[in-house]
Amino acid sequence: MKILQMIRSEFSRLWATPMARLAFVALMCVPLLYGGLYLWANQDPYAKLDQVPVALVVADEGVQHGDARRSIGDEVAKNLIEDGSFDWNRVSARDAERGVEDGAYDFSVTLPKNFTEALESSRGDDPHRAEVLLTTNDANSYLASTIGEQAVKQIREQVVRSVNKEAARAMLDGIAEIRVSTVQARDGASKLVDGAGQAQDGAHQLALGADQAHAGSTELSGGLATLRDATAQLPSQTEQLAGGAAQVAAGNEQVAQLGREVAGASQQARDRLSSDRDAILNDLSAAGVAPEVVFAVADRLDGVGGALDDANSRVQSTSAQLDTLAAGARQVADGSRALADASPQLAAGIATAADGAAQLDAGLGDLATGAHALDDGLAPLVAGTGQLRDGLAEGVERIPDSSDELRGRQAANISDPVDLRTEKVTSAGTYGAGLAPFFVSLAAWIGIYALFLILKPVSRRAVTALHAPVRVAVAGWATPALLGAVQMLALFGIVAGSLGFQVTHPLPAYGLMALASATFAAIILALNVWLGSVGQFLGLVLMVVQLVTAGGTFPWQTLPAPLAALHHYLPMSFAVDGLRQLMYGGDLGHAGTDAVKLALFLVAAVLLAALGVARMMRSRTLRDLQPSLIG
């Protein structure tokens, strides 16, 4: 019998009766139901998270700021509801608890009453962290609880960004105020430098003036000391002077009095001579004295009168001078008395002035010393204020000068400094597409496994009649391989057509699916040839082992060490990896390597099956004649 005849004979047997045809069609649809329905159900679950009901409880009491009360909890709730990532329902704490318990909500998120107060506590002396309470119920859905944890992380990130932005803005505004103050300090320091320089110049001039004043005070102190010594006897001397002046004044007053008396007598004599002249002349004329005699007497009398006038004038002048002298002498006497009375105080004042001059001299000496010290001390001050000014100027240059709008953008960037930019070498697109390589490979194994429930691994007639084990093994493998190719073609149509998953290299992808199905057919064939019903069961066990080692859901590196080691030696791992490369647009060389490994598994399994057929041809046992427990 030829290979095609054996294949045709097996197909005829499968299509012989209506029940056989029904079983055949049903088993052919097994991989389509498994792979297609599962991938359809999980096509893109993350796109429908907005249909997941979630309870949102806002118990936040907020914080009073002046006339306004701020509640960050209300702000967060508003953002969450507007974002619509879940079906948020803002309810009371009691309704949320009851809803999570009875399954009305998959989970609940509670913002406690001190939420805002805790977030703003970092500004005070009792900083503490705010809490967000996530309430889950795994009886509703374990994955929903896991998704809830991710949702709370997003809430936390949102709140952290908001709080960080406010804190960063406050910090930047503070830095801006510091810069303004530093600029003012720098300008003040510049004025201080100028003032210190002027003060140093003034201190230098003060030191010079203090030296001069000290020299003058020394001379003054010496002169006043000499004057004090010279005036020590002044009170007694002025007392003697006052006594003598009083005596002189008294004598002068007596002389003046005599002078006034003489002047009076002289004036009387002058006045009497004038009146007696006329009387004498009249008497002479009356007596009959000759006129010549009368004229001669008159001349004589006029001569005497003139001399008497001159004498009287001198006497009157002398008397006035004596009066003046007496008055002056009295003034001198009075002044001398006043001087004598004041000289003790004057002497005491001169002594006090001498003592004060000595103290002034000592004080000016200290002043001169201090002025020189001040002059020397102001030099470091000038240098220090210069360094202060330069340091403040350098500080101003280091503090950025920013506008209000720039600080707003800086605060936003500080609060969220990292922008995640994903560069994908390849992209599956959706959650379902990401699982497709794994479930397609698993469906291929299940499809072949199901077919071997009704297929005969090898034709017993061929085993009995022929002595060509390779031909019999190839014929036993070709039938499920061809049916598997048809299954994979239909499944490929569902994946790439009905579900619309991305397949970058469609023909190579289908070819790898068909190759994987053919390889699985060869492996299950070999198990059946060598172990019969036990081999069929081991095919199920091998499927379970590959289900966890293929790395179709989680990375294979997360597996326990024994299972992770098996990942490198089981065929489904290569089928999953190769389909990922071909569906997502990965490395074609890598996919080719996976295909070569599957082909090696296929050839090895077919050869192993041929060895089993050869063993059957050499010796038949009662076990070979017993009906199979499966099919």
Side-chain angles (χ1 to χ4, degrees):
M1 296 177 65
K2 296 181 179 180
I3 294 176
L4 290 179
Q5 290 176 331
M6 288 185 281
I7 295 174
R8 190 182 305 114
S9 174
E10 184 66 14
F11 274 118
S12 297
R13 186 183 68 80
L14 294 174
W15 208 255
T17 64
M19 187 59 67
R21 289 194 291 272
L22 180 61
F24 174 70
V25 173
L27 292 175
M28 285 290 291
C29 291
V30 167
L32 305 183
L33 294 172
Y34 182 81
L37 284 176
Y38 193 92
L39 291 175
W40 182 33
N42 294 277
Q43 185 174 5
D44 194 5
Y46 290 104
K48 298 182 179 181
L49 290 179
D50 57 350
Q51 300 178 18
V52 176
V54 182
L56 178 60
V57 180
V58 181
D60 186 17
E61 296 178 349
V63 174
Q64 191 74 26
H65 294 289
D67 296 333
R69 176 172 291 275
R70 184 189 183 189
S71 172
I72 299 179
D74 289 334
E75 297 173 7
V76 172
K78 180 181 178 182
N79 292 334
L80 291 175
I81 294 173
E82 291 178 353
D83 178 63
S85 55
F86 291 91
D87 181 17
W88 295 101
N89 297 271
R90 187 166 178 176
V91 297
S92 66
R94 183 175 181 181
D95 291 342
E97 181 181 4
R98 186 167 52 245
V100 174
E101 288 179 355
D102 61 23
Y105 303 116
D106 283 358
F107 58 90
S108 69
V109 176
T110 301
L111 305 179
K113 64 180 181 180
N114 66 335
F115 188 69
T116 301
E117 182 273 328
L119 288 175
E120 295 186 356
S121 64
S122 297
R123 303 176 183 177
D125 55 3
D126 183 25
H128 52 278
R129 303 175 69 182
E131 293 182 350
V132 177
L133 176 62
L134 171 66
T135 304
T136 62
N137 186 354
D138 288 350
N140 295 334
S141 172
Y142 173 74
L143 289 180
S145 300
T146 304
I147 293 172
E149 294 176 358
Q150 298 301 319
V152 171
K153 289 181 180 179
Q154 292 179 358
I155 295 174
R156 179 182 180 276
E157 291 175 358
Q158 174 187 338
V159 173
V160 168
R161 283 196 299 268
S162 176
V163 172
N164 286 350
K165 183 177 180 180
E166 292 182 4
R169 181 55 189 265
M171 178 189 70
L172 292 174
D173 289 342
I175 292 176
E177 293 179 2
I178 291 174
R179 189 181 193 280
V180 172
S181 300
T182 306
V183 170
Q184 295 174 348
R186 179 200 61 190
D187 297 340
S190 297
K191 295 179 180 178
L192 181 61
V193 170
D194 297 338
Q198 294 174 357
Q200 185 182 24
D201 294 340
H204 184 69
Q205 297 297 325
L206 176 63
L208 295 178
D211 288 339
Q212 295 176 356
H214 182 231
S217 67
T218 301
E219 294 179 0
L220 175 62
S221 177
L224 287 175
T226 302
L227 178 61
R228 177 187 60 192
D229 296 338
T231 58
Q233 302 301 319
L234 181 63
S236 60
Q237 294 173 350
T238 55
E239 184 62 33
Q240 294 177 358
L241 175 64
Q247 294 176 358
V248 171
N252 287 335
E253 287 177 351
Q254 292 177 358
V255 172
Q257 181 60 35
L258 291 175
R260 285 193 296 273
E261 292 177 355
V262 172
S266 174
Q267 184 65 37
Q268 289 177 356
R270 173 68 181 85
D271 293 337
R272 186 170 182 177
L273 177 62
S274 177
S275 61
D276 288 346
R277 172 183 176 277
D278 294 333
I280 292 172
L281 293 178
N282 291 327
D283 290 339
L284 290 178
S285 296
V289 177
E292 295 85 4
V293 175
V294 173
F295 287 140
V297 171
D299 290 334
R300 296 273 181 97
L301 287 174
D302 289 336
V304 172
L308 186 58
D309 285 338
D310 292 339
N312 183 53
S313 296
R314 286 194 296 274
V315 168
Q316 294 298 330
S317 175
T318 302
S319 177
Q321 291 176 353
L322 289 174
D323 288 338
T324 302
L325 177 62
R330 175 51 57 190
Q331 290 178 351
V332 170
D334 293 341
S336 297
R337 173 46 57 191
L339 177 62
D341 293 340
S343 61
Q345 295 179 351
L346 175 62
I350 293 172
T352 301
D355 294 338
Q359 294 177 356
L360 175 64
D361 184 47
L364 287 174
D366 294 338
L367 175 63
T369 303
H372 284 287
L374 176 63
D375 185 21
D376 296 336
L378 284 175
L381 175 62
V382 172
T385 53
Q387 293 177 354
L388 175 62
R389 177 198 59 196
D390 297 340
L392 288 173
E394 184 178 354
V396 169
E397 295 299 323
R398 291 186 178 182
I399 300 175
D401 185 11
S402 58
S403 64
D404 184 75
E405 185 271 338
L406 175 60
R407 291 196 298 275
R409 290 190 288 111
Q410 289 174 335
N413 191 67
I414 291 174
S415 65
D416 189 13
V418 179
D419 184 17
L420 178 61
R421 184 169 62 89
T422 303
E423 293 185 357
K424 297 182 178 181
V425 177
T426 62
S427 175
T430 63
Y431 177 79
L435 294 178
F438 173 64
F439 282 99
V440 165
S441 301
L442 190 58
W445 187 282
I446 292 174
I448 294 299
Y449 183 85
L451 286 176
F452 270 98
L453 295 177
I454 59 174
L455 287 173
K456 291 182 178 181
V458 293
S459 172
R460 296 183 185 276
R461 286 181 58 195
V463 170
T464 304
L466 298 177
H467 292 283
V470 174
R471 206 188 314 168
V472 173
V474 170
W477 162 78
T479 301
L482 291 174
L483 294 175
V486 174
Q487 289 177 330
M488 292 299 100
L489 181 61
L491 185 57
F492 181 82
I494 292 174
V495 170
S498 300
L499 298 180
F501 291 160
Q502 171 188 337
V503 181
T504 304
H505 304 289
L507 291 179
Y510 168 70
L512 188 63
M513 290 170 62
L515 176 61
S517 178
T519 301
F520 300 157
I523 294 172
I524 296 177
L525 172 67
L527 291 173
N528 275 276
V529 168
W530 280 92
L531 301 175
S533 298
V534 176
Q536 184 76 3
F537 173 74
L538 289 178
L540 179 62
V541 174
L542 187 58
M543 180 193 72
V544 173
V545 173
Q546 292 185 104
L547 186 148
V548 297
T549 61
T553 53
F554 291 96
W556 62 266
Q557 292 88 348
T558 62
L559 296 171
L563 296 178
L566 290 176
H567 170 80
H568 301 285
Y569 302 103
L570 294 178
M572 193 178 292
S573 301
F574 308 130
V576 172
D577 184 65
L579 284 175
R580 284 174 175 164
Q581 303 298 327
L582 295 173
M583 288 183 66
Y584 309 152
D587 187 353
L588 292 179
H590 195 165
T593 301
D594 291 325
V596 170
K597 292 178 181 179
L598 286 174
L600 292 176
F601 265 100
L602 188 154
V603 172
V606 171
L607 291 177
L608 185 60
L611 292 176
V613 171
R615 181 184 64 84
M616 293 172 59
M617 289 179 178
R618 288 195 301 272
S619 61
R620 303 294 298 276
T621 64
L622 291 176
R623 185 180 64 81
D624 296 326
L625 300 178
Q626 292 175 352
S628 174
L629 295 176
I630 304 176

